[in-house]
Amino acid sequence: MRSNEVKNRTSTDVIKSLRLITAIKTPYLPDGRFDLEAYDSLVHVQIENGVEAVIVGGTTGEGQLMSWDEHIMLIGHTVNCFGGSIKVIGNTGSNSTREAIHATEQGFAVGMHAALHINPYYGKTSLEGLISHFNSVLPMGPTIIYNVPSRTGQDIPPHVILSVAQSPHLAGIKECVGNDRVAQYTMGDIVVWSGNDDQCHDSRWDHGATGVISVTSNLVPGLMRDLMFEGKNPALNSKLIPLMEWLFCEPNPICLNTALAQLGVVRPVFRLPYVPLPMAKRIEFVAIVKEIGREHFVGHKDVQVLDDNDFILVSRY
Amino acid sequence: MRSNEVKNRTSTDVIKSLRLITAIKTPYLPDGRFDLEAYDSLVHVQIENGVEAVIVGGTTGEGQLMSWDEHIMLIGHTVNCFGGSIKVIGNTGSNSTREAIHATEQGFAVGMHAALHINPYYGKTSLEGLISHFNSVLPMGPTIIYNVPSRTGQDIPPHVILSVAQSPHLAGIKECVGNDRVAQYTMGDIVVWSGNDDQCHDSRWDHGATGVISVTSNLVPGLMRDLMFEGKNPALNSKLIPLMEWLFCEPNPICLNTALAQLGVVRPVFRLPYVPLPMAKRIEFVAIVKEIGREHFVGHKDVQVLDDNDFILVSRY
Amino acid sequence: MRSNEVKNRTSTDVIKSLRLITAIKTPYLPDGRFDLEAYDSLVHVQIENGVEAVIVGGTTGEGQLMSWDEHIMLIGHTVNCFGGSIKVIGNTGSNSTREAIHATEQGFAVGMHAALHINPYYGKTSLEGLISHFNSVLPMGPTIIYNVPSRTGQDIPPHVILSVAQSPHLAGIKECVGNDRVAQYTMGDIVVWSGNDDQCHDSRWDHGATGVISVTSNLVPGLMRDLMFEGKNPALNSKLIPLMEWLFCEPNPICLNTALAQLGVVRPVFRLPYVPLPMAKRIEFVAIVKEIGREHFVGHKDVQVLDDNDFILVSRY
Amino acid sequence: MRSNEVKNRTSTDVIKSLRLITAIKTPYLPDGRFDLEAYDSLVHVQIENGVEAVIVGGTTGEGQLMSWDEHIMLIGHTVNCFGGSIKVIGNTGSNSTREAIHATEQGFAVGMHAALHINPYYGKTSLEGLISHFNSVLPMGPTIIYNVPSRTGQDIPPHVILSVAQSPHLAGIKECVGNDRVAQYTMGDIVVWSGNDDQCHDSRWDHGATGVISVTSNLVPGLMRDLMFEGKNPALNSKLIPLMEWLFCEPNPICLNTALAQLGVVRPVFRLPYVPLPMAKRIEFVAIVKEIGREHFVGHKDVQVLDDNDFILVSRY
């Protein structure tokens, strides 16, 4: 189902060279539909601050809470509005091979530049099954594979990656297992992005990682740009660590969603099963913003604590 | 769910000015999925021959046989690949107001320039219901309303159009009822496109129609361009009438699908309930092509009769 | 995908013998979801009054406004709750052969006793295409074919019916074209149900129809039972004609929906594109109920005119 | 959306009393659709051997590879065919609260007797989010909560269970964490089913578990019946341990799928990402069957090794 004409088709090499990729937040209207105006503003700020690519509908962007038509629409929308300024990587992975194939075909058809693929979480499979799964989608275009055992319940071992790396479309690995694994891949000339913001400085400068697929860059894109582009900077890294620790005190994107609402750049709307952080943690965030400097964060309004009843939780949408 | 950033956003006035719009064919692979490479070629030829817009997933493009995710994907794909060269009008209409709203939001989000809306066929509704239906989608962007009682079982009377014409987004009407109705609208400064190829020459030059939404232009885009742009030309019109009559000897797009397969530009694959024309009619088409001149038709291969068993009919896809 | 075990599997002969079939209304909650409690009550009253079968999600039940999962769920629900007391006929027809196949497989899998199939409305097809369409679904189980050119824009001619009648699963035809057509079929031993309430008495007693697929029986099931079972009764028929004429003064089910709300048996909730009848027609209905006798109508509350703002119209659900 | 009429509605107490529940396999046709005839036979054998309930579309039944309409159809089908003989528990859980709500409403509407709910795998959430998630579905009917951190990446801690146990609909917990956790619950009068076949004997007889939700009972339902009903039997347990170990040598249901194909009761069709066990493991299974005795296993054909190319792997279906 490939097209001859896909505009802005991107080579795998271009994907391999990206250093700062944001797993972009999906903001919602009070009825739970996408708030595309807020989304456009978020992506715009990413571009202005030098972010090179976005993951659309990643776990951070809550792809797991989207219907597939919403998901593909958001990829197509992002390509259509911003595809000339930033690379668009669609999270078209699934624990169902059928769904991964269908979504990836559709994502490339609407112009995404690369696909992000996860191993089959929850249902899991054998190592041979993993290889079959990835090989079902790799022929379609540039691909990043995402390894996050704390979510999937199953590590993708290096020999599986080596097997699928025979495809010229494998751009690299988003790796969350730690810097030893990162180094193991980069020594073998496999491109790696850190999937852990608090490790990414060391991954990049000490272990050969090309960059990061970041949650934190939703909040401080300029500082994350510095961290990935301007050379080793332990001082900046240390300055950001408290923010990063706060950001992962609950399963992501709970903290990010809360923070962006406090910064006034998204409506305080949560799709269940996500719920906002409690008051005490929101107060902490205000202090963290002041410590790092409001000017480094996205948005222009004062950071707020918000009341519990400012938040809207939606379960039917 | 509107975005601030939609690229190539088109004013209603631009849509109103279009003279030649093709209701583009959707070609299929042998398993019934879209054949995007063939599709891209079809659109490409339309652009080269001066066609100004395409209807994606119209009745000609078999939107009625698509799942909505396929349909929106095809709109997004067309925008992404060709949106700078041709206007993309998504047929996001439905007999279900819910579906029409959802599809139209998604279509504009992925960048379509205008929507085509039908009155609720089959289920039908009251005139007040018609107005509510159209007013549910008109706020989203430039809109063409399609009146074809022979398909819907219900004429949209002029006073319904006058009511919804209060929206600045109403670009005009695709009207199939005939030239008296066309004249009635154009005298009232409502833009009309003929929905009947065999009437469109007279609609355009004698009754004030702006142009045509054409099936025939899938086959002879250059001649249809001449017919709509180069002034009154009854000789050309007469020359095309036998083709047009052949093209509607069975419910559209049965004949168009058969013809494009005979011209070698699409695979001979039909999604049921459409089936190819019988041999005798296919032989007729070869003669018509020779009479008009192969060079005026799309594609470069010799026109063929094809055998019955060249055709593939798919019911699960 | 047939099962060995489907409970209550019904022979085509049993379907052929049904005289009174109600195209049952689907009631809604204020948010537009199904109101299953109200639905169960409606079906219950049908059973108590001797109705022998229901069409689930017909045009009256607004199948055209359902997602397929809702539609199949409602069929399964009806079978599960009432399948021992009344025959459940799922309207699993579609203008897309793929959808008709998928829905019909699922409907029989959840236990429906027969399928209702329409010819491809709106998209239409050739006569050969019609035959292919029906033959794609007939092998699955007992089938009624529905001919209603005023909705579909295309009459199913008798020779198409004769062709598909070679299948032992064809139970018969729901025919709306008139009593000459009814007689033509019944003389050829093809079972017919009238699809027009105002003609059904004559169809049944003068033209050989087996019975009726009725809208009116939603309101006065007992009287419709008398009309179909107790012999020729022009007096009763005349008494009901004003109700039937009122009931079809706008495209069905607009009037039925309004009437059931006025009778207090469903919430006054409309899914667009349907909107309630205006006040003047609602006042008429109250008079009609009084003329025929409130006790013959479903429900126990006083019939009400209702205020315009009692009605809730939903477009997203 | 609850109904007044749901047939066979089951009290939570009845669900609490079930000792042997099979997580039933879903068999496929060569094109990947459900093989309902094979499915019916599998359920039939379960009933004959005294199994009291089935989980439909669990991880064993590959609910994660179903579209929701398939999944609800299979629940409705099972209720319709077997609901009088065996309890039908639908796995209507999801990591999306919206999907869990929608599927659970539909499942109860088509007559399932209880729902199985998982915590949000992969996307995960906070403990407060977990409670909100479960409380969104508990009002709908009898519910079993499933805790399997090796698949979900997140343990459901006991205080979350205690919180949601305030609902009268909580039937109990399918617990995979081990017998200490089992004992902790049963001492607090919370019903537990073991989710680990190799521990279930001890869970049942030493730690207060009510029974097991079993994979092994797909193969040897009668022996599992003995294990759960006939008192402590370490000899039988020991006899079954090699089978159980073999059955979980790869992520379930890879081994079960392979075994049932070898026993000749399902076609050797796998939906990716599942792939069959290699030859060596299949040979092992033949030996295990002979050791335990063919007569204790489902089916009547000789157990076979099968060739690699007997297996069909489907990725589009």
Side-chain angles (χ1 to χ4, degrees):
Chain A
M1 216 174 65
R2 293 306 309 275
S3 155
N4 290 317
E5 301 272 351
V6 172
K7 208 172 53 184
N8 306 321
R9 182 167 292 173
T10 297
S11 73
T12 303
D13 283 344
V14 169
I15 301 299
K16 285 181 177 176
S17 72
L18 302 168
R19 293 190 184 169
L20 178 54
I21 302 170
T22 296
I24 193 83
K25 155 75 179 164
T26 307
Y28 303 116
L29 296 171
D31 66 1
R33 285 180 299 144
F34 294 164
D35 181 347
L36 286 187
E37 297 196 16
Y39 177 81
D40 292 346
S41 297
L42 293 179
V43 178
H44 206 80
V45 172
Q46 296 291 313
I47 293 169
E48 283 180 337
N49 282 278
V51 173
E52 298 168 286
V54 285
I55 305 285
V56 177
T59 45
T60 301
E62 300 179 3
Q64 63 275 19
L65 306 186
M66 295 177 187
S67 56
W68 275 113
D69 68 310
E70 283 185 318
H71 201 143
I72 300 301
M73 178 276 274
L74 192 61
I75 293 171
H77 172 76
T78 311
V79 171
N80 184 50
C81 297
F82 304 105
S85 308
I86 199 166
K87 295 301 169 199
V88 179
I89 303 168
N91 172 27
T92 55
S94 172
N95 61 351
S96 157
T97 307
R98 167 170 68 167
E99 289 190 16
I101 288 173
H102 186 68
T104 306
E105 282 187 342
Q106 293 205 332
F108 280 118
V110 300
M112 71 179 183
H113 304 108
L116 180 71
H117 280 288
I118 191 78
N119 51 315
Y121 45 86
Y122 182 51
K124 305 204 285 194
T125 187
S126 63
L127 299 185
E128 195 188 333
L130 284 183
I131 291 169
S132 294
H133 180 80
F134 291 130
N135 283 340
S136 297
V137 289
L138 272 161
M140 298 181 194
T143 301
I144 298 173
I145 289 180
Y146 179 19
N147 187 35
V148 57
S150 65
R151 286 187 181 276
T152 61
Q154 186 176 26
D155 183 41
I156 308 173
H159 78 87
V160 166
I161 295 297
L162 291 179
S163 170
V164 299
Q166 291 165 24
S167 165
H169 284 141
L170 185 72
I173 313 302
K174 176 185 179 186
E175 183 57 78
C176 298
V177 159
N179 281 330
D180 289 349
R181 181 71 66 83
V182 170
Q184 183 180 355
Y185 282 133
T186 60
M187 285 185 300
D189 281 331
I190 289 178
V191 167
V192 176
W193 294 271
S194 173
N196 298 326
D197 281 330
D198 61 349
Q199 297 182 332
C200 74
H201 173 268
D202 295 354
S203 299
R204 168 93 180 92
W205 301 113
D206 296 336
H207 301 282
T210 293
V212 65
I213 296 182
S214 178
V215 176
T216 307
S217 55
N218 277 282
L219 297 173
V220 290
L223 297 182
M224 290 305 291
R225 167 91 193 188
D226 291 347
L227 206 65
M228 287 297 105
F229 277 79
E230 304 299 328
K232 212 160 174 169
N233 189 342
L236 175 57
N237 194 43
S238 298
K239 187 177 168 187
L240 289 172
I241 288 291
L243 172 63
M244 292 165 172
E245 286 177 346
W246 180 89
L247 208 40
F248 294 93
C249 71
E250 290 288 359
N252 179 54
I254 284 178
C255 305
L256 176 67
N257 291 350
T258 307
L260 288 168
Q262 292 188 254
L263 291 166
V265 295
V266 306
R267 288 178 168 87
V269 179
F270 281 66
R271 283 184 174 185
L272 282 174
Y274 297 116
V275 295
L277 285 179
M279 178 69 78
K281 298 299 292 184
R282 301 201 301 265
I283 291 171
E284 262 183 62
F285 180 66
V286 171
I288 289 169
V289 171
K290 291 189 174 152
E291 184 66 27
I292 292 176
R294 176 67 184 89
E295 69 280 11
H296 293 298
F297 285 78
V298 297
H300 302 291
K301 297 182 188 159
D302 280 349
V303 59
Q304 288 188 283
V305 173
L306 297 176
D307 287 330
D308 283 355
N309 54 19
D310 288 332
F311 291 94
I312 297 172
L313 277 63
V314 293
S315 59
R316 297 184 192 272
Y317 46 90
Chain B
M1 213 175 66
R2 294 307 308 277
S3 152
N4 291 317
E5 302 272 349
V6 172
K7 206 171 56 184
N8 306 322
R9 182 168 292 173
T10 298
S11 73
T12 303
D13 282 345
V14 169
I15 301 300
K16 284 181 178 176
S17 72
L18 301 168
R19 292 190 187 169
L20 178 54
I21 302 170
T22 296
I24 193 84
K25 155 77 178 163
T26 307
Y28 304 117
L29 296 171
D31 66 0
R33 285 181 299 143
F34 294 164
D35 181 348
L36 288 187
E37 297 196 16
Y39 177 82
D40 293 347
S41 298
L42 292 180
V43 178
H44 206 80
V45 172
Q46 295 291 314
I47 293 169
E48 285 180 335
N49 282 279
V51 174
E52 299 168 285
V54 285
I55 305 285
V56 178
T59 44
T60 302
E62 300 179 4
Q64 62 275 18
L65 306 186
M66 296 178 186
S67 58
W68 275 112
D69 68 311
E70 284 184 316
H71 200 143
I72 300 299
M73 178 276 273
L74 193 61
I75 293 171
H77 172 76
T78 312
V79 171
N80 185 51
C81 297
F82 303 105
S85 308
I86 198 165
K87 295 302 167 197
V88 179
I89 303 169
N91 173 27
T92 55
S94 172
N95 60 352
S96 156
T97 307
R98 167 170 67 168
E99 290 189 17
I101 288 173
H102 187 68
T104 306
E105 281 187 343
Q106 293 204 332
F108 280 117
V110 299
M112 71 179 182
H113 304 109
L116 180 71
H117 280 288
I118 191 77
N119 51 315
Y121 46 85
Y122 183 52
K124 304 204 283 192
T125 187
S126 62
L127 299 185
E128 194 188 334
L130 284 183
I131 292 169
S132 294
H133 179 80
F134 291 130
N135 283 338
S136 297
V137 290
L138 272 162
M140 298 180 192
T143 301
I144 298 173
I145 290 181
Y146 180 18
N147 188 35
V148 58
S150 65
R151 287 187 181 275
T152 61
Q154 186 176 27
D155 183 41
I156 309 173
H159 78 87
V160 166
I161 296 297
L162 291 179
S163 171
V164 299
Q166 292 164 24
S167 165
H169 284 139
L170 184 72
I173 313 302
K174 177 185 180 187
E175 182 58 76
C176 298
V177 159
N179 281 329
D180 289 348
R181 181 70 65 84
V182 170
Q184 182 181 356
Y185 283 132
T186 60
M187 285 186 299
D189 281 331
I190 290 178
V191 168
V192 176
W193 293 271
S194 174
N196 299 325
D197 281 330
D198 60 351
Q199 296 182 332
C200 74
H201 173 268
D202 294 353
S203 299
R204 167 95 180 93
W205 301 113
D206 296 336
H207 301 282
T210 293
V212 65
I213 297 181
S214 179
V215 176
T216 307
S217 56
N218 278 281
L219 297 173
V220 288
L223 297 183
M224 290 304 292
R225 168 91 191 187
D226 291 347
L227 206 65
M228 288 297 104
F229 278 79
E230 303 300 327
K232 212 161 173 168
N233 189 342
L236 175 57
N237 194 43
S238 297
K239 187 177 168 187
L240 290 172
I241 288 292
L243 173 62
M244 291 164 173
E245 286 177 348
W246 180 89
L247 208 40
F248 294 93
C249 71
E250 289 288 0
N252 179 55
I254 284 177
C255 306
L256 176 67
N257 292 349
T258 307
L260 289 167
Q262 292 187 253
L263 291 166
V265 295
V266 306
R267 288 177 169 89
V269 179
F270 281 66
R271 285 184 172 184
L272 281 174
Y274 297 116
V275 295
L277 284 180
M279 179 69 77
K281 299 299 292 184
R282 302 201 300 265
I283 292 171
E284 262 183 62
F285 180 66
V286 171
I288 289 170
V289 170
K290 290 188 174 155
E291 182 66 27
I292 293 175
R294 176 67 184 89
E295 69 280 11
H296 294 298
F297 285 77
V298 297
H300 302 291
K301 296 180 191 160
D302 280 349
V303 60
Q304 288 188 282
V305 172
L306 298 175
D307 287 331
D308 284 354
N309 54 20
D310 288 332
F311 292 93
I312 297 172
L313 278 62
V314 293
S315 59
R316 298 184 191 272
Y317 47 90
Chain C
M1 214 174 67
R2 294 308 307 277
S3 153
N4 290 318
E5 301 272 351
V6 172
K7 207 172 53 184
N8 304 321
R9 183 166 291 173
T10 298
S11 73
T12 302
D13 282 344
V14 169
I15 302 299
K16 284 180 178 176
S17 73
L18 301 168
R19 292 191 185 170
L20 178 54
I21 302 171
T22 296
I24 193 84
K25 154 77 178 163
T26 308
Y28 304 116
L29 296 171
D31 67 0
R33 285 181 298 144
F34 294 164
D35 181 347
L36 287 186
E37 298 196 16
Y39 177 82
D40 292 346
S41 297
L42 293 180
V43 178
H44 206 81
V45 172
Q46 294 291 313
I47 293 169
E48 285 180 334
N49 282 279
V51 173
E52 298 167 285
V54 285
I55 305 285
V56 178
T59 44
T60 301
E62 300 179 4
Q64 62 275 17
L65 306 186
M66 295 177 186
S67 57
W68 276 113
D69 68 309
E70 283 185 318
H71 201 143
I72 300 301
M73 178 276 274
L74 192 61
I75 293 171
H77 171 76
T78 311
V79 171
N80 185 51
C81 297
F82 304 104
S85 309
I86 198 165
K87 295 303 168 196
V88 179
I89 302 168
N91 172 27
T92 55
S94 172
N95 60 351
S96 157
T97 308
R98 167 171 67 168
E99 290 189 17
I101 289 172
H102 186 69
T104 306
E105 281 187 343
Q106 293 204 331
F108 280 117
V110 300
M112 70 179 182
H113 304 108
L116 179 71
H117 281 287
I118 190 79
N119 52 315
Y121 46 85
Y122 182 51
K124 305 204 283 192
T125 187
S126 61
L127 299 186
E128 196 188 334
L130 285 183
I131 291 168
S132 294
H133 179 80
F134 291 129
N135 283 340
S136 297
V137 290
L138 272 161
M140 298 180 193
T143 300
I144 298 172
I145 289 182
Y146 179 19
N147 187 36
V148 58
S150 64
R151 287 187 181 276
T152 61
Q154 187 175 26
D155 183 41
I156 309 173
H159 78 87
V160 166
I161 296 298
L162 291 180
S163 171
V164 299
Q166 292 164 24
S167 165
H169 285 139
L170 185 72
I173 314 302
K174 177 185 179 187
E175 182 58 77
C176 298
V177 159
N179 281 330
D180 288 348
R181 181 72 65 83
V182 171
Q184 183 180 357
Y185 283 131
T186 60
M187 285 185 300
D189 281 331
I190 290 178
V191 167
V192 176
W193 294 270
S194 173
N196 299 324
D197 281 330
D198 60 350
Q199 297 183 330
C200 75
H201 173 268
D202 294 354
S203 300
R204 169 93 179 93
W205 302 112
D206 295 338
H207 302 281
T210 293
V212 65
I213 297 182
S214 178
V215 176
T216 307
S217 55
N218 279 281
L219 298 173
V220 288
L223 297 182
M224 290 303 292
R225 167 90 192 187
D226 290 347
L227 204 64
M228 288 297 104
F229 277 79
E230 303 300 327
K232 211 160 173 168
N233 189 343
L236 174 58
N237 194 42
S238 297
K239 187 177 169 187
L240 290 172
I241 287 292
L243 172 63
M244 291 165 173
E245 286 177 346
W246 180 89
L247 207 41
F248 294 93
C249 71
E250 291 288 359
N252 179 53
I254 284 178
C255 306
L256 176 67
N257 291 349
T258 306
L260 288 167
Q262 291 187 255
L263 291 167
V265 295
V266 306
R267 288 178 168 88
V269 179
F270 281 66
R271 285 184 172 184
L272 282 174
Y274 297 116
V275 295
L277 285 180
M279 177 69 78
K281 299 299 291 184
R282 302 200 301 265
I283 292 170
E284 263 183 63
F285 180 67
V286 171
I288 289 170
V289 171
K290 290 187 174 154
E291 183 65 26
I292 293 176
R294 175 67 183 90
E295 69 279 11
H296 294 298
F297 285 78
V298 297
H300 302 291
K301 296 181 189 160
D302 281 348
V303 60
Q304 288 188 283
V305 173
L306 296 177
D307 288 329
D308 284 354
N309 53 20
D310 287 332
F311 291 94
I312 296 172
L313 276 63
V314 294
S315 60
R316 298 183 192 274
Y317 46 92
Chain D
M1 216 175 65
R2 295 307 307 277
S3 154
N4 290 318
E5 301 273 349
V6 173
K7 207 173 54 184
N8 306 322
R9 182 167 290 173
T10 298
S11 74
T12 303
D13 282 345
V14 169
I15 301 300
K16 284 182 178 176
S17 72
L18 301 168
R19 293 190 186 170
L20 177 55
I21 302 170
T22 295
I24 192 86
K25 155 75 178 164
T26 308
Y28 304 117
L29 296 171
D31 67 0
R33 285 181 298 143
F34 295 164
D35 181 348
L36 287 186
E37 298 196 16
Y39 177 81
D40 293 345
S41 297
L42 293 179
V43 178
H44 206 80
V45 172
Q46 295 291 313
I47 293 168
E48 285 179 334
N49 282 278
V51 173
E52 298 168 286
V54 285
I55 304 285
V56 178
T59 45
T60 301
E62 301 181 2
Q64 62 275 17
L65 306 185
M66 295 177 187
S67 57
W68 276 113
D69 68 309
E70 283 184 317
H71 200 142
I72 300 300
M73 178 277 273
L74 192 62
I75 293 171
H77 172 76
T78 312
V79 171
N80 185 50
C81 297
F82 304 104
S85 308
I86 198 166
K87 295 302 167 196
V88 179
I89 302 169
N91 172 27
T92 55
S94 172
N95 60 352
S96 157
T97 307
R98 167 172 66 167
E99 289 189 17
I101 289 173
H102 187 68
T104 306
E105 281 187 342
Q106 293 205 333
F108 279 117
V110 299
M112 71 179 183
H113 305 107
L116 180 70
H117 280 287
I118 191 77
N119 51 315
Y121 47 85
Y122 183 51
K124 304 205 282 194
T125 188
S126 62
L127 300 185
E128 195 188 335
L130 285 183
I131 291 169
S132 294
H133 179 79
F134 291 129
N135 283 340
S136 297
V137 290
L138 272 161
M140 297 180 194
T143 301
I144 298 173
I145 290 180
Y146 179 19
N147 188 35
V148 59
S150 66
R151 287 187 181 274
T152 62
Q154 186 176 26
D155 182 41
I156 309 174
H159 77 86
V160 166
I161 296 298
L162 291 179
S163 170
V164 299
Q166 291 165 24
S167 164
H169 284 139
L170 185 72
I173 313 301
K174 178 185 178 187
E175 183 57 78
C176 298
V177 161
N179 281 330
D180 289 348
R181 180 71 65 84
V182 170
Q184 182 180 356
Y185 283 132
T186 59
M187 285 185 299
D189 280 332
I190 290 178
V191 167
V192 177
W193 294 271
S194 173
N196 299 324
D197 282 330
D198 60 350
Q199 297 182 332
C200 75
H201 174 268
D202 294 354
S203 300
R204 168 92 180 93
W205 301 112
D206 296 337
H207 302 280
T210 293
V212 65
I213 296 181
S214 178
V215 176
T216 307
S217 55
N218 278 282
L219 297 173
V220 288
L223 297 183
M224 289 304 292
R225 167 91 192 187
D226 291 348
L227 205 64
M228 288 298 104
F229 278 79
E230 304 299 328
K232 213 162 173 166
N233 189 341
L236 175 58
N237 193 43
S238 298
K239 187 176 169 188
L240 290 172
I241 288 291
L243 172 63
M244 291 166 173
E245 286 176 347
W246 180 90
L247 208 40
F248 294 93
C249 71
E250 290 288 359
N252 180 54
I254 284 178
C255 305
L256 176 67
N257 291 349
T258 307
L260 289 168
Q262 291 187 255
L263 291 166
V265 294
V266 307
R267 289 179 167 87
V269 179
F270 281 66
R271 285 184 173 184
L272 281 174
Y274 297 116
V275 294
L277 285 180
M279 178 70 78
K281 298 299 292 183
R282 302 199 301 265
I283 292 171
E284 263 183 62
F285 179 67
V286 171
I288 289 170
V289 171
K290 290 186 175 156
E291 183 66 26
I292 293 176
R294 176 68 183 90
E295 70 279 12
H296 294 297
F297 285 78
V298 296
H300 302 291
K301 297 181 188 160
D302 281 349
V303 60
Q304 289 188 280
V305 173
L306 297 176
D307 287 331
D308 284 354
N309 53 19
D310 287 332
F311 291 94
I312 297 171
L313 278 62
V314 293
S315 59
R316 298 183 192 273
Y317 45 89

